[in-house]
Amino acid sequence: MLSFTFLRPRLLAGISFITSFTAAIPLGLRSIPQSAVLRSKSSSTKKYKIKTHKGAAARWHKTKSGLFKHGPIGVNHGNSNWSNRILARTGRGGYALGKGEGNHIGRIKKLMPYA
């Protein structure tokens, strides 16, 4: 009958020496190198940054009160026959709608997380 020690004497001799050596040292005094420590996936999960939607960032600006404001709409081109009253009304900026009116604020917060 062949034993494993006969086939690989150097390998087992090194292991038995290490285990007998570390067994003599108390647990509190042993130092384990960082490369030998196995890390679980939960402790090394990476926190990713969310990218800002640049189209939303160009159109919406956050005010001090927390509302989102947009610039004038509908007055860039194609309005040569419009009356001054209509141009004045559409040429104003506005604010994003709240929860009961379409919840634009929730959508903008998702598009611009750092605003």
Side-chain angles (χ1 to χ4, degrees):
M1 181 169 139
L2 295 172
S3 67
F4 190 70
T5 57
F6 177 74
L7 295 175
R8 302 236 183 228
R10 286 185 186 176
L11 178 67
L12 285 182
I15 290 175
S16 64
F17 171 72
I18 291 172
T19 55
S20 64
F21 179 71
T22 55
I25 301 172
L27 286 174
L29 299 177
R30 291 183 197 172
S31 63
I32 302 170
Q34 284 291 352
S35 60
V37 176
L38 297 175
R39 297 181 186 180
S40 65
K41 280 189 172 183
S42 62
S43 66
S44 64
T45 54
K46 189 173 182 180
K47 303 282 184 181
Y48 289 100
K49 292 184 179 179
I50 303 171
K51 289 189 175 180
T52 300
H53 191 276
K54 292 301 181 179
R59 289 169 172 84
W60 296 96
H61 305 282
K62 194 168 186 180
T63 61
K64 288 184 181 180
S65 62
L67 297 174
F68 288 95
K69 186 177 182 180
H70 65 82
I73 56 171
V75 292
N76 289 330
H77 57 84
N79 48 15
S80 58
N81 294 330
W82 290 14
S83 68
N84 287 333
R85 182 179 59 86
I86 298 295
L87 284 174
R89 187 175 64 197
T90 57
R92 290 188 291 241
Y95 294 94
L97 300 175
K99 268 192 173 180
E101 303 146 354
N103 197 15
H104 293 165
I105 295 174
R107 292 180 193 171
I108 296 169
K109 282 183 180 179
K110 285 181 184 177
L111 293 172
M112 301 190 326
Y114 304 109

